[in-house]
Amino acid sequence: MEHWSYRTIIEPFRIKAVEPIPFLTREERQAALERAGHNLFNLSADEVTIDLLTDSGTGSMSAKQWAALMDGDESYAGSRSWAQLQEVVQQITGMPYVLPCHQGRAAERILGRTVIPAGSVVLNNTHFDTTRANIEQAGAQAVDLPVPVAHDPGDPSPFKGDMDLDALDEALARHGDRVAMVMLTLTNNAAGGQPVSMQNIEAVSARARAAGIPFYLDAARFAENAWFIHVREPGYREVSVPEIARRMFDLADGFTMSAKKDGIVNIGGLLCTRREDHYEKFKNELILGEGFVTYGGLAGRDLSALAVGLQEALDTDYLRYREASIAYFTEGLDQVGIPVVKPPGGHAVFIDAGAMAPHIPAEFFPGQAVANALYLEGGVRGVEIGSLMFPGATMQLVRLAVPRRVYTQSHVDYAIEVAERVAARAAELPGYRLTHEPPFLRHFSARMEPVPAERLPRRG
Ligand SMILES: Cc1ncc(COP(=O)(O)O)c(C=O)c1O
């Protein structure tokens, strides 16, 4: 029997170095939450037992990555580490021009300052918030074109990250020459980490090419997306994951990448292209803001660790485990009666807090109520993605993002148990009211106070 046919998810690694996790009493967590103004971003990490705030830059490096780190070449120009990274990126993606940068938003910033003119339009399945901010900073308009099922938490469609092709046709016709770029975010983070099908990437690429518009990927989770194509899209079972990844990149003119996700490094990013004209512009902007073209704001050792991480992210055993552990988490919550977004995405579990705590109106932040309750109950830190993060949001979610290779199945079992206890008393959860609201990106530093369930206005 192959190992994956067993019910137990076996982590495809053994542990060489361990890091203790903090355990606090409920009273200590209550005090920490009050000190933090009931905002989990304000907690100190040593007040958190299971930290599911993000999967970005929080992964564990492998022994090979640590070894590569020691071997890093810190020469200012033309280092050996750079040569290793360039070769790996070219081999995985086929992009001739590779530029390192310190993280994903640095790549987006360079894109925004070079090839996205003021007054133009960028079309994307769903822009991640930093991508949107960099496009808007350039004086351009960022337009999201997700498929309608992306907004339905219960719809089991396998590729809810796709772009709506009719909406794309309509946007291309409407905006014409003003469209500076078409992008696809793989996987679609803002829409629940849902994957984009190869069929959709092909269709979007063909339309962009026909219109003569550059087509770029946001490839932060390229390996997870390639894996979902492998297991969910007809005709790709026999195609290897690296081949699928290569086909995805072959359809694009370039990509931005936050390497803190599928690069499995704690810091790093990439901006790559096959267009020489773009490369020349990117290069100058990179030197201005990030560093010389062979290090781009990173240490040589970071480049070496990334070269190894990108290859490890395409490993079949790793990806099978990654998918299985997110699915296990999603199904475990579902089985204890917690409403979750389905099907499972690639990097996180999303609890439908609106359905879990229907007595809390959106303006009293049901997502924050559930997130805070998970922390208070068992020290599990997630993040609200609802009307606190996006005022006027239609879905009230809590995202529990799973760092790569960090937690084991028993940590997940514990988090499910914590959520089950919260669900048992969901009707008693308080809502929250803002006591301090910063002018933008308020969820990061807002402070709140609880409003007891019995004092909440009844939903009409
Ligand atoms: C899809 C996507 N694009 C871009 C970024 C920005 O990357 P970074 O945080 O490395 O700047 C992120 C980060 O979460 C992301 O998920």
Side-chain angles (χ1 to χ4, degrees):
M1 289 273 267
E2 305 291 359
H3 68 83
W4 61 82
S5 62
Y6 286 86
R7 196 175 53 251
T8 306
I9 305 166
I10 171 166
E11 285 85 5
F13 48 80
R14 55 185 177 179
I15 296 164
K16 198 166 204 154
V18 294
E19 188 183 4
I21 54 176
F23 295 103
L24 282 73
T25 62
R26 190 183 178 93
E27 289 68 35
E28 286 168 334
R29 288 193 295 270
Q30 178 71 51
L33 201 56
E34 280 165 21
R35 217 172 29 247
H38 301 275
N39 182 344
L40 302 172
F41 280 102
N42 293 336
L43 290 175
S44 148
D46 19 321
E47 292 166 333
V48 179
T49 303
I50 306 281
D51 204 346
L52 307 179
L53 188 65
T54 176
D55 66 320
S56 181
T58 52
S60 289
M61 291 208 294
S62 66
K64 280 201 176 133
Q65 284 179 291
W66 283 105
L69 216 69
M70 275 312 289
D71 192 42
D73 175 357
E74 304 302 338
S75 306
Y76 188 94
S79 73
R80 184 176 65 248
S81 300
W82 158 246
Q84 287 162 355
L85 177 65
Q86 187 182 35
E87 192 187 333
V88 167
V89 175
Q90 286 173 338
Q91 186 245 324
I92 292 175
T93 69
M95 294 283 167
Y97 302 115
V98 179
L99 291 169
C101 46
H102 84 275
Q103 61 183 80
R105 68 199 69 185
E108 294 159 2
R109 187 162 184 272
I110 294 169
L111 210 62
R113 291 169 73 97
T114 52
V115 296
I116 299 176
S120 69
V121 174
V122 178
L123 309 174
N124 201 327
N125 47 353
T126 313
H127 291 85
F128 182 68
D129 54 9
T130 57
T131 324
R132 168 176 291 279
N134 275 297
I135 289 167
E136 289 174 353
Q137 187 68 25
Q141 192 190 346
V143 177
D144 292 340
L145 306 171
V147 282
V149 286
H151 302 295
D152 180 353
D155 187 293
S157 303
F159 291 104
K160 289 163 79 173
D162 280 356
M163 183 182 273
D164 183 333
L165 296 175
D166 292 336
L168 172 61
D169 287 336
E170 206 253 314
L172 288 171
R174 174 140 45 101
H175 300 295
D177 289 348
R178 287 178 58 222
V179 182
M181 181 167 285
V182 177
M183 294 186 80
L184 274 177
T185 305
L186 315 175
T187 57
N188 194 346
N189 184 8
Q194 298 289 326
V196 181
S197 64
M198 186 69 86
Q199 200 181 21
N200 195 254
I201 305 172
E202 283 167 354
V204 172
S205 168
R207 281 163 168 81
R209 289 228 164 122
I213 298 165
F215 171 49
Y216 273 60
L217 303 176
D218 175 340
R221 297 181 181 81
F222 76 101
E224 289 169 8
N225 201 87
W227 174 257
F228 280 120
I229 290 174
H230 180 65
V231 295
R232 289 187 187 172
E233 189 161 347
Y236 286 95
R237 271 284 170 179
E238 303 310 317
V239 187
S240 74
V241 180
E243 270 180 86
I244 293 172
R246 181 57 185 267
R247 279 193 207 178
M248 294 173 352
F249 287 112
D250 281 349
L251 290 162
D253 295 305
F255 67 89
T256 59
M257 183 193 288
S258 167
K260 298 167 72 173
K261 285 83 174 175
D262 280 351
I264 326 186
V265 287
N266 305 116
I267 194 73
L270 291 169
L271 175 58
C272 300
T273 184
R274 58 180 88 254
R275 287 190 47 161
E276 195 180 352
D277 57 333
H278 282 190
Y279 175 65
E280 288 304 323
K281 291 180 186 166
F282 295 164
K283 215 166 64 174
N284 295 328
E285 193 62 36
L286 184 88
I287 293 171
L288 203 61
E290 289 283 292
F292 187 59
V293 291
T294 65
Y295 73 89
L298 294 169
R301 54 181 170 271
D302 297 328
L303 305 173
S304 292
L306 176 54
V308 178
L310 287 168
Q311 296 174 85
E312 291 182 348
L314 287 168
D315 177 74
T316 307
D317 285 327
Y318 161 71
L319 285 166
R320 183 179 291 114
Y321 139 80
R322 177 92 178 133
E323 184 206 1
S325 53
I326 308 283
Y328 177 85
F329 199 173
T330 307
E331 283 152 22
L333 290 170
D334 190 34
Q335 273 163 20
V336 298
I338 293 169
V340 281
V341 175
K342 289 181 218 160
H347 67 283
V349 172
F350 292 80
I351 295 177
D352 184 350
M356 189 168 162
H359 65 290
I360 306 178
E363 61 275 24
F364 289 87
F365 313 129
Q368 193 64 26
V370 171
N372 285 353
L374 290 171
Y375 174 71
L376 197 58
E377 184 63 44
V380 176
R381 174 160 71 169
V383 64
E384 188 263 9
I385 301 190
S387 48
L388 175 63
M389 189 180 273
F390 302 113
T394 50
M395 293 208 281
Q396 306 299 326
L397 304 176
V398 177
R399 186 185 78 176
L400 302 174
V402 183
R404 291 167 182 75
R405 307 190 292 206
V406 171
Y407 294 118
T408 62
Q409 190 165 338
S410 57
H411 292 113
V412 171
D413 285 335
Y414 170 79
I416 294 168
E417 226 181 299
V418 168
E420 190 178 5
R421 289 197 193 178
V422 168
R425 297 209 326 271
E428 297 160 26
L429 290 183
Y432 283 87
R433 166 191 309 134
L434 289 164
T435 55
H436 165 71
E437 182 176 1
F440 54 88
L441 293 175
R442 66 181 186 177
H443 57 286
F444 284 124
S445 46
R447 296 184 71 82
M448 286 157 275
E449 64 182 13
V451 180
E454 62 279 8
R455 300 235 312 270
L456 289 169
R458 289 188 185 243
R459 277 179 150 177

